[in-house]
Amino acid sequence: MAQPTLFTKAQSEQLFEFGHTVKKSRRVRRFVMGNGYEQVTPDGIQTEMRTYRLKTRPITDAEAASYDDSFDDLNGDFFYAQFIHDDELYKYRLEPNEWSLESIGPDSNIISFTVRRVYDSRS
């Protein structure tokens, strides 16, 4: 079964609050020698790490239930998404496998979650 696409670029621009956090890093290996000498090298082929901490704008009960069901159906697996700073669709996984659903009024909800870009050979 093909993995779902949960967020497109257009959806991301409309759905998420401004002020989201993007954490970027490079995965490296460090080799420390006994005399204080240190060598750093990239760890693997795909070394770019990207994490988003996201919060939706207020959404309806139906939209919140739909996203809640979609996250639950993932069962810890990845999904495709293109967030605000992405130039194409990438694979993401909830990190950790959790999200929060906050009711802020009648038919008004906010969902908060963190995702991490993953490299998975499946399509």
Side-chain angles (χ1 to χ4, degrees), residues 1-6 70-71 73-81 89-93 118 120-123:
M1 181 173 133
Q3 294 304 108
T5 299
L6 295 186
S70 294
F71 288 155
D73 290 344
L74 289 170
N75 219 14
D77 211 350
F78 74 87
F79 60 92
Y80 290 97
L89 280 174
Y90 290 104
K91 296 174 185 175
Y92 286 95
R93 187 172 280 131
V118 296
D120 192 305
S121 61
R122 296 172 293 155
S123 52

Side-chain angles (χ1 to χ4, degrees), residues 24-74:
K24 297 179 178 182
S25 64
R26 291 284 179 175
R27 196 176 57 243
V28 298
R29 287 187 180 181
R30 289 187 185 277
F31 301 96
V32 181
M33 314 311 170
N35 61 359
Y37 178 75
E38 179 178 81
Q39 189 174 22
V40 178
T41 185
D43 183 18
I45 298 170
Q46 306 288 353
T47 62
E48 182 183 355
M49 307 298 292
R50 187 173 291 195
T51 303
Y52 286 95
R53 192 168 55 216
L54 299 161
K55 183 181 200 180
T56 66
R57 294 183 172 142
I59 56 176
T60 66
D61 289 344
E63 289 173 304
S66 174
Y67 285 118
D68 187 47
D69 290 344
S70 294
F71 288 155
D72 196 41
D73 290 344
L74 289 170

